[in-house]
Tab-separated table of all heavy atoms in Angstrom:
chain	number	residue	atom	x	y	z
A	137	ARG	N	6.681	14.664	-10.359
A	137	ARG	CA	6.499	13.700	-9.256
A	137	ARG	C	7.695	13.799	-8.311
A	137	ARG	O	8.800	13.661	-8.723
A	137	ARG	CB	6.414	12.225	-9.785
A	137	ARG	CG	5.157	12.009	-10.564
A	137	ARG	CD	5.133	10.557	-11.140
A	137	ARG	NE	3.896	10.297	-11.889
A	137	ARG	CZ	2.777	9.853	-11.364
A	137	ARG	NH1	2.727	9.631	-10.068
A	137	ARG	NH2	1.745	9.618	-12.121
A	138	VAL	N	7.345	14.063	-7.019
A	138	VAL	CA	8.396	14.320	-6.031
A	138	VAL	C	8.209	13.301	-4.885
A	138	VAL	O	7.114	13.152	-4.338
A	138	VAL	CB	8.306	15.690	-5.479
A	138	VAL	CG1	9.487	15.953	-4.492
A	138	VAL	CG2	8.332	16.755	-6.601
A	139	LEU	N	9.320	12.581	-4.536
A	139	LEU	CA	9.296	11.665	-3.411
A	139	LEU	C	9.960	12.393	-2.246
A	139	LEU	O	11.102	12.767	-2.377
A	139	LEU	CB	10.065	10.398	-3.818
A	139	LEU	CG	9.872	9.170	-2.951
A	139	LEU	CD1	10.281	7.875	-3.769
A	139	LEU	CD2	10.588	9.193	-1.653
A	140	VAL	N	9.276	12.541	-1.158
A	140	VAL	CA	9.703	13.237	0.056
A	140	VAL	C	9.816	12.260	1.197
A	140	VAL	O	8.851	11.549	1.532
A	140	VAL	CB	8.737	14.397	0.388
A	140	VAL	CG1	9.158	15.087	1.697
A	140	VAL	CG2	8.631	15.438	-0.733
A	141	VAL	N	11.024	12.184	1.793
A	141	VAL	CA	11.176	11.335	3.016
A	141	VAL	C	11.380	12.298	4.189
A	141	VAL	O	12.302	13.056	4.180
A	141	VAL	CB	12.348	10.378	2.843
A	141	VAL	CG1	12.479	9.517	4.094
A	141	VAL	CG2	12.184	9.467	1.651
A	142	ALA	N	10.499	12.169	5.161
A	142	ALA	CA	10.576	13.038	6.316
A	142	ALA	C	10.089	12.321	7.581
A	142	ALA	O	10.509	11.145	7.767
A	142	ALA	CB	9.779	14.313	6.107
A	143	HIS	N	9.305	12.914	8.373
A	143	HIS	CA	9.035	12.422	9.697
A	143	HIS	C	7.542	12.318	10.014
A	143	HIS	O	6.751	13.146	9.488
A	143	HIS	CB	9.712	13.308	10.724
A	143	HIS	CG	11.165	13.437	10.479
A	143	HIS	ND1	12.090	12.518	10.992
A	143	HIS	CD2	11.851	14.335	9.714
A	143	HIS	CE1	13.300	12.878	10.527
A	143	HIS	NE2	13.206	14.010	9.809
A	144	GLY	N	7.171	11.458	10.889
A	144	GLY	CA	5.753	11.116	11.159
A	144	GLY	C	4.947	12.317	11.586
A	144	GLY	O	3.902	12.651	10.959
A	145	THR	N	5.354	13.043	12.631
A	145	THR	CA	4.548	14.147	13.118
A	145	THR	C	4.517	15.288	12.133
A	145	THR	O	3.483	15.861	11.854
A	145	THR	CB	5.001	14.636	14.522
A	145	THR	OG1	4.900	13.554	15.442
A	145	THR	CG2	4.236	15.824	14.970
A	146	LEU	N	5.709	15.633	11.575
A	146	LEU	CA	5.783	16.738	10.618
A	146	LEU	C	4.826	16.456	9.389
A	146	LEU	O	4.065	17.330	8.966
A	146	LEU	CB	7.117	17.014	10.131
A	146	LEU	CG	7.232	18.228	9.191
A	146	LEU	CD1	7.186	19.490	10.017
A	146	LEU	CD2	8.417	18.147	8.297
A	147	LEU	N	4.908	15.256	8.875
A	147	LEU	CA	4.099	14.907	7.710
A	147	LEU	C	2.594	14.815	8.130
A	147	LEU	O	1.771	15.380	7.382
A	147	LEU	CB	4.489	13.545	7.099
A	147	LEU	CG	5.854	13.507	6.386
A	147	LEU	CD1	6.201	12.057	5.993
A	147	LEU	CD2	5.820	14.458	5.204
A	148	ARG	N	2.289	14.322	9.252
A	148	ARG	CA	0.896	14.238	9.693
A	148	ARG	C	0.257	15.613	9.848
A	148	ARG	O	-0.810	15.897	9.311
A	148	ARG	CB	0.765	13.494	11.016
A	148	ARG	CG	-0.645	13.360	11.555
A	148	ARG	CD	-0.679	12.675	12.889
A	148	ARG	NE	0.101	13.217	13.938
A	148	ARG	CZ	-0.264	14.286	14.628
A	148	ARG	NH1	-1.435	14.933	14.463
A	148	ARG	NH2	0.563	14.814	15.557
A	149	VAL	N	0.932	16.546	10.555
A	149	VAL	CA	0.316	17.870	10.753
A	149	VAL	C	0.320	18.705	9.480
A	149	VAL	O	-0.624	19.456	9.235
A	149	VAL	CB	0.947	18.588	11.966
A	149	VAL	CG1	0.761	17.798	13.259
A	149	VAL	CG2	2.440	18.915	11.714
A	150	SER	N	1.354	18.603	8.698
A	150	SER	CA	1.427	19.360	7.403
A	150	SER	C	0.394	18.887	6.435
A	150	SER	O	-0.314	19.723	5.847
A	150	SER	CB	2.873	19.253	6.809
A	150	SER	OG	3.866	19.656	7.700
Side-chain angles (χ1 to χ4, degrees):
R137 294 179 179 271
V138 184
L139 197 161
V140 175
V141 181
H143 306 273
T145 299
L146 184 80
L147 290 174
R148 178 182 58 80
V149 299
S150 302

